[in-house]
Amino acid sequence: MATGFKTWQCENCGFLYEEEFGLPAEGIAPGTRWEDVADDFICPNCGFAKSQFSMIEV
Amino acid sequence: MIPQQIAHTIVDPKAYAAEKPVDDAFTWLRREMPLAVAQPDGFDPFWVVTRHRDILEVERQNELFHNGDRSTVVTSKTADEKVRSMMGGSPHLVRSLVQMDNPDHGYYRRLTQPYFLPQNIRKLEPRIREIAKSFVNRMAEKGGRCDFARDIAFLYPLHVIMEILGVPEVDEPMMLRLTQELFGSADAEMSRSAPADENEGLAALMATIADFVAYFNKMTEDRRAHPRDDVASVIANGTVNGQPLGQLEAMSYYIIVATAGHDTTSNTTAGALWALAENPGQLALLKKDMPACMPLFIEESIRWVTPVKHFMRTATADATLAGHKIAKGDWLMLSYPSGNRDEDVFDDPFAFKVDRTPNRQVAFGYGAHVCLGQHLARMEMRILWEELLPRLHELELAGEPRRMEAAFVCGPKSVPVRYRMQ
């Protein structure tokens, strides 16, 4: 089983992308690593770009 | 040009209190004129942005569509002139995050943003749960009948945000009254002096703001001398580009936290219980599978109530939106209730569904100005419902609920209910 999932946060609105859970509503399966999320991904909460997410410790 | 009857409805506080006239007006607009110009008598013309996707498109482009260039709330020409004459040419009575654009918006938002991020507010959960439990106990002690808006929904988020801000409990009733005067200035029951005309209304609003300023000036002095772990200390001692916050900006920061920090959550909470009382099947569905339904129910409550009815934006350059030419300087009304009833985005949008998914509600806005307190608002609501719903066995309306008369921030002001609780 894959471990070491990370959490990424939108710097604008605080939205969290948790690799463990993915974003099924956006077509991103649970377990999808941040680097495998498409480059044109935008924050579903505020529209900011993938480049404006940063990894955080929760 | 939008027909005058509809143009008047979408700026009429009484129409928002009744809700159906506004829903009908925006339903017609989405179908017939989804992006068009309105000019109610006494107002400058403005575009009315009714579709979900067009609202996101405007909010996403915060350099092209500014907040601060003209009033952020739809305002008559008379009121606009009066405000500008009092404020040295500015169209705003306050200068909070809402009235700012970059670079100031970014600087000022970053001051308090860390406080409101999920990883920080998570630390507040035990304390917020204690507060929620006390309000649920209070509801149980009411003996099966209360006005849920006045007895619970107005007071619970108020208490939470005042603890975060650092306002003592004894001052909470005053903060609630000032908030209701600010957002309910058009409502005779809520306003300071039941103003007879626009001039009196503006004077009452200025008096309310003056009371806030007097209070928060004292708080600034105190927190500069004795900083604590609260948001007031962040505002009082914060710096932007190495300088303390300006007086207007600091006072406006306190005011937005002390008003928007509870009123919208109160409105949503009261409106959600109203919807559950009217839809017993939805209440049963929610209680049957609370863990799975809870996040969906909260998003649906926010969509359903949409307490912020609009914000205005001003084009900084010629632009094209949904095939229409928008000219530099044009004023645009972003109608959030309309976006949240958009038939192209929401199935059966006038139905309250606790398990609605997907739910891309736009009540918190979008883009750089998306609501700073959204994570706190969701957490407060989740905790209250987690404490209340398992104890709530019967619920029905015990009278006609009523909304505040307001075209900007509007929600229930009375939700009389009968219930049985453990």
Side-chain angles (χ1 to χ4, degrees):
Chain A
M1 187 178 157
T3 55
F5 287 124
K6 297 186 176 75
T7 297
W8 297 74
Q9 183 160 50
C10 174
E11 291 169 4
N12 180 57
C13 72
F15 178 85
L16 297 174
Y17 175 77
E18 294 168 280
E19 293 178 341
E20 182 180 2
F21 304 112
L23 277 177
E26 308 294 321
I28 303 174
T32 304
R33 302 288 184 182
W34 183 242
E35 58 264 33
D36 297 325
V37 171
D39 289 341
D40 62 358
F41 170 83
I42 59 168
C43 174
N45 193 49
C46 75
F48 271 52
K50 183 182 175 187
S51 60
Q52 285 170 290
F53 277 66
S54 52
M55 195 179 74
I56 61 159
E57 300 292 333
V58 178
Chain B
M1 186 75 92
I2 290 173
Q4 280 305 89
Q5 188 188 344
I6 288 186
H8 284 145
T9 298
I10 64 175
V11 298
D12 178 8
K14 288 184 168 38
Y16 284 87
E19 196 171 79
K20 188 169 186 317
V22 172
D23 283 344
D24 290 348
F26 282 118
T27 299
W28 187 90
L29 285 171
R30 284 192 303 278
R31 190 175 63 236
E32 305 293 337
M33 304 177 85
L35 179 63
V37 173
Q39 188 170 15
D41 296 338
F43 288 75
D44 281 331
F46 55 88
W47 292 91
V48 184
V49 186
T50 66
R51 280 184 180 149
H52 187 276
R53 65 170 176 266
D54 295 338
I55 293 170
L56 299 191
E57 191 61 13
V58 172
E59 294 232 48
R60 190 177 62 77
Q61 303 180 78
N62 58 301
E63 301 300 338
L64 181 56
F65 297 104
H66 267 184
N67 283 41
D69 297 1
R70 297 175 68 172
S71 176
T72 53
V73 177
V74 71
T75 304
S76 73
K77 284 193 271 193
T78 311
D80 186 59
E81 283 165 15
K82 189 95 178 168
V83 170
R84 287 174 190 271
S85 73
M86 289 187 294
M87 301 301 292
S90 166
H92 313 298
L93 288 171
V94 293
R95 188 165 187 260
S96 72
L97 294 177
V98 168
Q99 290 80 23
M100 288 181 186
D101 295 289
N102 281 334
D104 281 1
H105 177 259
Y107 298 147
Y108 279 83
R109 187 170 170 117
R110 281 193 287 277
L111 268 183
T112 57
Q113 171 126 322
Y115 215 100
F116 291 101
L117 288 177
Q119 56 269 44
N120 192 58
I121 60 165
R122 211 167 280 174
K123 297 175 199 158
L124 307 177
E125 176 153 351
R127 174 60 189 142
I128 293 176
R129 193 169 293 281
E130 270 179 40
I131 298 169
K133 277 182 182 169
S134 75
F135 278 97
V136 171
N137 287 337
R138 187 184 297 189
M139 187 170 162
E141 287 158 11
K142 290 273 179 190
R145 195 168 178 140
C146 76
D147 186 325
F148 185 76
R150 293 178 187 183
D151 296 331
I152 307 295
F154 287 173
L155 306 178
Y156 161 62
L158 175 76
H159 191 62
V160 172
I161 197 68
M162 291 305 157
E163 278 203 5
I164 290 172
L165 182 57
V167 170
E169 188 170 358
V170 67
D171 294 332
E172 287 178 16
M174 178 189 64
M175 287 288 147
L176 178 61
R177 178 174 54 78
L178 293 177
T179 302
Q180 292 178 334
E181 287 176 8
L182 193 71
F183 292 137
S185 62
D187 187 312
E189 282 180 33
M190 298 290 188
S191 65
R192 172 164 291 208
S193 57
D197 58 32
E198 212 164 40
N199 274 338
E200 279 187 28
L202 204 53
L205 214 49
M206 290 296 287
T208 298
I209 291 173
D211 283 356
F212 270 128
V213 168
Y215 185 88
F216 288 123
N217 266 328
K218 283 187 189 155
M219 188 170 248
T220 297
E221 285 173 25
D222 178 72
R223 294 306 195 276
R224 284 185 178 158
H226 312 287
R228 300 184 200 169
D229 182 20
D230 59 25
V231 168
S233 298
V234 175
I235 298 171
N237 299 294
T239 56
V240 167
N241 293 329
Q243 299 295 315
L245 275 62
Q247 167 71 3
L248 177 63
E249 287 78 8
M251 292 302 119
S252 303
Y253 222 134
Y254 287 116
I255 291 171
I256 195 171
V257 174
T259 56
H262 62 94
D263 196 65
T264 47
T265 310
S266 297
N267 287 334
T268 306
T269 305
L273 193 90
W274 176 352
L276 290 174
E278 284 189 327
N279 296 277
Q282 294 296 305
L283 175 57
L285 182 62
L286 174 59
K287 283 172 68 73
K288 191 175 161 195
D289 191 3
M290 255 188 30
C293 266
M294 186 59 74
L296 308 179
F297 163 59
I298 289 168
E299 292 309 297
E300 179 68 343
S301 303
I302 297 163
R303 184 191 77 90
W304 188 248
V305 177
T306 313
V308 177
K309 302 304 176 189
H310 75 272
F311 270 122
M312 305 299 288
R313 297 285 191 269
T314 304
T316 60
D318 292 349
T320 302
L321 180 66
H324 292 266
K325 300 278 185 203
I326 310 290
K328 180 180 178 180
D330 279 0
W331 210 23
L332 299 92
M333 171 190 266
L334 307 180
S335 172
Y336 302 112
S338 180
N340 278 341
R341 298 290 184 273
D342 188 335
E343 297 80 358
D344 289 343
V345 177
F346 301 100
D347 291 333
D348 201 3
F350 289 95
F352 179 78
K353 298 180 182 181
V354 297
D355 57 352
R356 181 181 290 279
T357 184
N359 188 345
R360 281 290 190 82
Q361 56 81 16
V362 73
F364 288 127
Y366 195 70
H369 286 274
V370 72
C371 176
L372 185 64
Q374 59 173 303
H375 307 293
L376 175 63
R378 286 188 178 101
M379 188 172 85
E380 282 179 58
M381 287 189 270
R382 172 176 59 77
I383 294 171
L384 182 72
W385 298 125
E386 284 171 352
E387 294 300 325
L388 172 59
L389 290 176
R391 295 177 61 181
L392 185 68
H393 297 301
E394 287 169 19
L395 174 70
E396 62 179 4
L397 292 176
E400 189 66 28
R402 292 181 301 132
R403 291 182 199 84
M404 193 161 75
E405 294 177 10
F408 172 38
V409 178
C410 168
K413 64 180 176 185
S414 174
V415 181
V417 285
R418 260 189 302 271
Y419 49 87
R420 189 168 64 80
M421 278 177 76
Q422 261 177 353

